[in-house]
Structures are given as structure tokens and as C-alpha cells.
Amino acid sequence: GCLCLVGSEMCIRDRRKLADFARRAPNKAVKAKLEGIADVVARILKDLREDPADFTKASQFLDYYLVSTVAVVGKYLDLLGRAATSDGVNALRSTEQTLDTIRAAFEKLYQQLLENEVMDLDVELKVLNSTIAMEGLGEGLPGDRPST
């Protein structure tokens, strides 16, 4: 697993596997989907390096979804040249369609991590503005709104 609470080396390895899988993709559409997933994972990992407080929120997601995605895509690529039955072909098509869902789930996590940072910034700004107002230091400054 990723074990993001301990460190992100395994997550980085799994992201690299996804990028490698993209290079091995059977066509441009699958390649683009896999590159998109790898890109989102890279952005999530960058966010985790910059804001370790997000580890708790992202670790379960990465521990399960990233590991599962790597496993599914690995099996997909292994089956690719050998799937002769209709069940095998259907499984491959289903995997290709699921890649969009996987990317959307990772994008949603990334947006949640960003929203968390926006809320943190908003709280800090409100506290700062309140402190400035309480100390009478904000009057007449640009952006100061007259009270009605």
C-alpha cells in the first residue's frame, strides 16, 4: 500500500507505475486516461508534501484507490494481448471506461484538499481583519468599506 502516513515513497512509486502503464497503453485514448490519472496523483502528492496536514484526509484514499488502480491497470495490460473470449474483451472495455471514474475520484480528492486550504486561508484572513479592526488599525486603508 501507499502508507502515506509513514511516507510517500510508495505513492511516488505507484504514480511512476501509472506513468509507465500509460507508455504501454494500447491506444491514445487509454494512454491519455492513464496520463491524466498519473497527473492528478502527482498533484495530490505535491499537495501532501506542501501541506502535511492533508495526509489524514488523503491517506486512506491513496492507500486503497491508488493501490487498487495500479493493480487493475496492471492486470488490464497483462490481459490485453490474451483476451480472446467475449468476457475478456468486455472486461477490458469495462476497465477502460472505469479509468474515467477513477480519474474523477482522484480529481475530487484533489479539489477537496484545495478547498481545505482555501477555508484555512479564509479563517486566517477573518482573524487578521478582526484583529486589525479591534486595534483600530484598519480605518481608511484601501479596501476598507464604510459601514452603513
Side-chain angles (χ1 to χ4, degrees), residues 57-137:
K57 189 171 198 164
S59 66
Q60 180 181 0
F61 190 90
L62 291 172
D63 283 341
Y64 177 75
Y65 288 98
L66 181 57
V67 171
S68 296
T69 298
V70 168
V72 165
V73 174
K75 287 177 187 173
Y76 163 84
L77 291 173
D78 288 344
L79 255 176
L80 203 56
R82 302 178 301 157
T85 66
S86 62
D87 285 345
V89 171
N90 288 338
L92 292 174
R93 273 195 209 117
S94 177
T95 302
E96 291 172 6
Q97 292 168 353
T98 301
L99 294 176
D100 292 325
T101 304
I102 292 167
R103 181 177 181 176
F106 278 102
E107 286 283 1
K108 186 173 182 177
L109 171 66
Y110 182 66
Q111 289 305 315
Q112 288 173 350
L113 297 177
L114 291 181
E115 288 171 12
N116 183 35
E117 291 173 33
V118 168
M119 287 190 307
D120 289 348
L121 176 60
D122 190 46
V123 169
E124 287 179 36
L125 287 173
K126 285 179 182 175
V127 170
L128 181 60
N129 283 327
S130 293
T131 304
I132 289 171
M134 283 186 345
E135 296 186 11
L137 300 173

Side-chain angles (χ1 to χ4, degrees), residues 19-26 74 77-78 80:
D20 179 56
F21 290 161
R23 287 188 285 280
R24 296 171 37 204
L77 291 173
D78 288 344
L80 203 56

Side-chain angles (χ1 to χ4, degrees), residues 27-41:
N27 59 55
K28 289 180 183 180
V30 172
K31 179 179 180 161
K33 291 177 184 194
L34 292 173
E35 287 174 340
I37 293 168
D39 175 64
V40 178
V41 171

